[in-house]
Amino acid sequence: MESIFVYIAKSAGLVTLFYCAYYFLLRKETFFTSNRWFLLTGLITSVILPFVVYTKVVWINPAPIPNLNFSDTNLVQNIENKTFEINWLYVMLSVYCIGLLVFLTKFAMDFYSLNSVLKGKKVHQQADFKFIDTNENIAPFSYFEYIVYNSSMYTPAELENIIEHEKVHSDQNHTVDVLISRAFCMLFWFNPVIWLYKKAITQNLEFIADKEAAKKLSDKKAYQYTLLKITTHESCVAITNHFYQSLIKKRIVMLNKNQSKRRNSWKYYVVIPALGAFVLLFQAEVVAKEKQQAVKEVSGEIESVDVYRIKKNSTDAELKEIKEKLKSIHNVDFEVSDVKRNAENNLTSIKVAIKNGTQLAQSIQTAGDHTIKDFGVIVITDKKGKKNVGIQTSDEANISKIAVSKKISSLNAAKNDNCKTNADSKTVVSKKLTTKIDTNVNDNTNTSTKTNSNANTNISTTVTIDTDNKINTKVITTTNGSVIAISNETKAANKVLESLVIVDGKEMPRSFDVNDIDTKKIESVSVYKGVEAIAKYGEKGANGVIEIETRD
């Protein structure tokens, strides 16, 4: 729902931009026809441009994450402490809908009034025009091919001036402009600029009709007197091009004004850089993606690397085939669930669970209305026949090619059924396998080095299996602003390694337990490991560093 208000705000901003350009640069120019198309272009642009979005990908280096323990009791406690809050988005949407309904009702009433004027009247057809001579005391007006007037109220000369004026409106389809501007006033009724914009459109249409009608009339002064006489009529139909307009003085001034110099047409192009700035500032979608570290030399202990790719267009039969191969070749259990597809039968959601003995790997992709990103199931077999499984979800274009060790590259896949490498997938292979799960992912990007409490709720889990040090690390992070529990213990080789904890820039003692911090007060969490931690904090950061910023 928030995106609706963002769209409305952007559209209103574009309308304001075009109106300011017209008011300050073009309003006094006599390029009336060009002004007409400029104003219409402004309305069309304000509808279309907010939908135009270009994606800018920012690649960041991957960073390890320390251990975080998520307490279910904290979650229950936070849910219980929630109080009733007014959803102001729904309130604003309700106000907007009420306003829209009012103006739609007003438009329906105006249309009914117009229909009552036209219905049942005698129509005189002449060329492409339909003339209606009415007895009602209303100002002359045109509505598409209809031209309505009361002949008893004017002299023949005045009536000729009026009809020539309305013919221009009818011939150039000015009614379309009036209806479009009226529609925008209904949709963006809350924006005061749109009402000024509508007034500018109708006024410019009168300038066009006055200019073209004066060319066909022999007495230009008599035409101006007719304008003054029509000002006495106060009754007019709202959704039509009516001869009477309140700013008669401006019409007479523009009618007698000399033609603007052609070199002044540069003013129309001033809006182009402003539109470019709008796109750069508001229509750029920055996507952060984690770089995949390529391994240029794989240890000679690796016997084979098997990759089974799951694509957005993978069928149920192909998924079943992958399951059978993993079971028959590697004795790996492969289960697929939560499968959703779009109209093109492409995957928009999938959950994959892999089990290899006690080793578990899982991937969840939910892309909403979009298709998922391709990913692969990796099975690495060492010389002793031990198998490690993992899931690779990186983009192919940003993974360096693997230079496998001579022992592997010399293997002949045709002679060895246990060595299968899918040419369609570029896979990063090492002794450490990392599987990432994200339960709320649209772009399949897994970056979780910093948690901000103002972000939307997004729970992600990272499971790391290290075959050398026998370290099993489970990371669960929630960014809803209130549920964050952290543990700074890392168990390795039956030893307890405590990470350095920095709270609001102050170093905490080794005995400090971060679980003592009220999770509601945590603003952000940054974590560092390895070289990065040592470079920032020296030897004290050898076991990793946790930086915590609180709201206080």
Side-chain angles (χ1 to χ4, degrees), residues 63-305:
I65 305 175
N67 294 346
L68 305 178
N69 293 329
F70 179 78
S71 175
D72 290 336
T73 57
N74 287 341
L75 177 59
V76 174
Q77 181 180 359
N78 279 284
I79 294 176
E80 292 177 350
N81 292 336
K82 283 187 177 180
T83 58
F84 174 76
E85 295 182 359
I86 298 176
N87 191 323
W88 291 106
L89 287 178
Y90 283 106
V91 173
M92 289 188 292
L93 182 62
S94 299
V95 172
Y96 171 78
C97 290
I98 292 172
L100 179 61
L101 182 61
V102 169
F103 285 102
L104 283 173
T105 303
K106 179 64 169 59
F107 178 79
M109 294 173 61
D110 291 337
F111 190 81
Y112 176 79
S113 177
L114 170 65
N115 187 60
S116 64
V117 172
L118 300 179
K119 187 176 181 181
K121 300 298 189 300
K122 184 178 180 180
V123 178
H124 175 64
Q125 182 82 35
Q126 182 182 350
D128 295 330
F129 306 104
K130 295 179 180 180
F131 296 95
I132 297 179
D133 190 354
T134 182
N135 295 325
E136 299 181 32
N137 184 19
I138 58 176
F141 68 87
S142 63
Y143 180 75
F144 290 106
E145 72 271 22
Y146 289 94
I147 297 177
V148 182
Y149 55 88
N150 187 342
S151 60
S152 63
M153 300 172 61
Y154 311 103
T155 65
E158 291 171 345
L159 190 58
E160 181 186 0
N161 294 336
I162 292 172
I163 291 177
E164 286 298 333
H165 177 95
E166 297 302 333
K167 279 184 176 180
V168 176
H169 282 313
S170 180
D171 190 52
Q172 296 189 11
N173 291 316
H174 289 176
T175 303
V176 176
D177 301 48
V178 174
L179 292 177
I180 290 175
S181 62
R182 182 68 180 271
F184 271 81
C185 285
M186 290 187 293
L187 290 173
F188 302 100
W189 58 266
F190 55 88
N191 182 11
V193 176
I194 196 64
W195 298 97
L196 298 174
Y197 204 101
K198 175 181 176 293
K199 182 179 179 181
I201 288 177
T202 54
Q203 182 176 291
N204 185 69
L205 295 177
E206 294 303 319
F207 293 159
I208 294 174
D210 288 339
K211 180 180 178 181
E212 296 300 323
K215 290 179 181 179
K216 300 177 182 179
L217 298 172
S218 58
D219 193 345
K220 190 175 181 179
K221 185 176 292 186
Y223 180 79
Q224 297 176 45
Y225 280 122
T226 303
L227 291 180
L228 294 173
K229 181 176 180 179
I230 301 301
T231 59
T232 60
H233 295 283
E234 297 180 356
S235 178
C236 58
V237 182
I239 59 175
T240 61
N241 299 287
H242 39 82
F243 193 84
Y244 165 67
Q245 288 287 335
S246 59
L247 301 176
I248 295 296
K249 181 180 178 180
K250 285 189 176 181
R251 291 175 60 182
I252 294 176
V253 169
M254 298 304 287
L255 186 60
N256 292 280
K257 190 173 184 179
N258 293 329
Q259 180 68 27
S260 298
K261 296 180 180 179
R262 185 171 294 274
R263 65 170 177 265
N264 290 340
S265 59
W266 64 268
K267 297 178 181 180
Y268 290 103
Y269 304 102
V270 172
V271 73
I272 294 178
L275 293 177
F278 173 85
V279 172
L280 292 175
L281 292 174
F282 303 109
Q283 299 304 104
E285 180 180 314
V286 179
V287 177
K289 291 192 176 184
E290 189 177 277
K291 293 180 180 178
Q292 300 295 327
Q293 296 179 341
V295 179
K296 294 185 177 180
E297 189 71 23
V298 179
S299 169
E301 297 176 359
I302 302 299
E303 177 69 21
S304 65
V305 178

Side-chain angles (χ1 to χ4, degrees), residues 391-417:
I391 297 175
Q392 179 63 40
T393 60
S394 59
D395 291 341
E396 291 184 11
N398 296 283
I399 306 175
S400 302
K401 293 182 178 179
I402 306 171
V404 186
S405 67
K406 294 180 180 179
K407 292 184 179 181
I408 294 179
S409 59
S410 62
L411 294 175
N412 189 332
K415 298 179 179 180
N416 191 341
D417 292 336

